[in-house]
Amino acid sequence: DQQVKQNSPSLSVQEGRISILNCDYTNSMFDYFLWYKKYPAEGPTFLISISSIKDKNEDGRFTVFLNKSAKHLSLHIVPSQPGDSAVYFCAASRVGAGKSTFGDGTTLTVKP
Amino acid sequence: DTGVSQDPRHKITKRGQNVTFRCDPISEHNRLYWYRQTLGQGPEFLTYFQNEAQLEKSRLLSDRFSAERPKGSFSTLEIQRTEQGDSAMYLCASRPDRGRVETQYFGPGTRLLVL
């Protein structure tokens, strides 16, 4: 039973365009959501997060949207750059519970 | 700036052998996590420590796996009698008790191959 799902294993976009990565979750107890980025041969690095009391959080080119009723979140990257090419993991937590539950990742390729 | 470090970065072993991995978290990070990642999947939680106390263990962590954090600083993950299914990337992460909620800082991982 996978509680966090990223249904698109890969996404390819042109440089300068918008990248939209999607994530769905099933556990309504999750109240904090994070996106991590991973380059080959490195561990995941934190990108952006959102609390369940918000529906949007923005940090530079990165915006995360949360739709609690749909149990869905998305990461928007505008404009996309070739250096954004990486695997993006969605993760969900219960504040104070300790661990995070990760999706299987989406490989983003930004073409010059 | 010293991030989370893991040693070794790569390990090849034969089935049935024991292996031990080490993780050094960011200094003063109270919480330390171990995850396992296989190809095409996201990190799966194994266990975590707050200081030296092991607070949670996943049911993925069979009796052959044991983790320790004896002085609340570095941690070790041991796998006894390795099986081919143990081949994976083992990731360590740490975070402070305070600060950005739930954000974890990951090391580069130890890639294990069991022949």
Side-chain angles (χ1 to χ4, degrees):
Chain A
D1 177 28
Q2 195 165 15
Q3 298 186 63
V4 178
K5 293 183 181 179
Q6 296 176 253
N7 291 319
S8 298
S10 63
L11 174 68
S12 181
V13 299
Q14 207 67 32
E15 181 179 6
R17 306 295 292 268
I18 184 172
S19 296
I20 300 176
L21 294 88
N22 294 303
C23 178
D24 297 293
Y25 62 97
T26 57
N27 188 341
S28 57
M29 298 296 289
F30 289 141
D31 53 9
Y32 201 81
F33 305 89
L34 310 97
W35 286 93
Y36 288 85
K37 180 164 99 171
K38 185 181 184 303
Y39 293 118
E42 296 182 8
T45 56
F46 170 76
L47 188 58
I48 191 169
S49 61
I50 187 167
S51 165
S52 60
I53 63 173
K54 296 185 176 181
D55 55 16
K56 176 182 175 181
N57 188 27
E58 192 171 355
D59 184 0
R61 297 186 296 114
F62 303 92
T63 303
V64 57
F65 296 92
L66 175 63
N67 182 335
K68 283 193 301 181
S69 60
K71 294 190 178 68
H72 176 85
L73 62 155
S74 60
L75 173 68
H76 293 212
I77 306 174
V78 183
S80 301
Q81 299 174 354
D84 296 329
S85 297
V87 179
Y88 289 78
F89 291 103
C90 170
S93 300
R94 288 169 46 201
V95 173
K99 65 185 180 184
S100 290
T101 302
F102 286 77
D104 287 341
T106 296
T107 300
L108 173 66
T109 303
V110 180
K111 298 180 179 179
Chain B
D1 176 24
T2 55
V4 178
S5 62
Q6 293 186 245
D7 183 68
R9 294 290 306 274
H10 303 273
K11 179 70 176 179
I12 301 174
T13 191
K14 293 182 179 180
R15 189 174 50 189
Q17 297 294 305
N18 299 344
V19 294
T20 300
F21 309 141
R22 177 179 169 124
C23 171
D24 287 88
I26 294 171
S27 179
E28 298 180 355
H29 277 194
N30 306 88
R31 298 196 184 198
L32 186 148
Y33 302 79
W34 285 100
Y35 289 85
R36 180 173 67 188
Q37 184 180 13
T38 52
L39 195 62
Q41 295 191 336
E44 293 179 291
F45 170 78
L46 293 179
T47 187
Y48 96 95
F49 294 83
Q50 182 165 14
N51 300 310
E52 65 274 11
Q54 189 173 17
L55 296 189
E56 186 175 350
K57 291 171 59 173
S58 165
R59 56 193 165 162
L60 292 175
L61 215 64
S62 76
D63 291 345
R64 298 184 297 106
F65 288 70
S66 63
E68 293 183 343
R69 195 182 183 198
K71 296 182 180 180
S73 56
F74 73 91
S75 175
T76 58
L77 177 68
E78 180 182 18
I79 310 175
Q80 296 182 327
R81 304 181 304 281
T82 52
E83 302 173 356
Q84 287 184 324
D86 296 332
S87 296
M89 175 75 83
Y90 289 85
L91 292 164
C92 176
S94 70
R95 61 161 281 220
D97 276 338
R98 298 181 180 178
R100 193 189 295 270
V101 178
E102 304 303 324
T103 301
Q104 296 175 23
Y105 299 81
F106 283 85
T110 294
R111 183 169 295 283
L112 173 66
L113 178 60
V114 182
L115 301 176

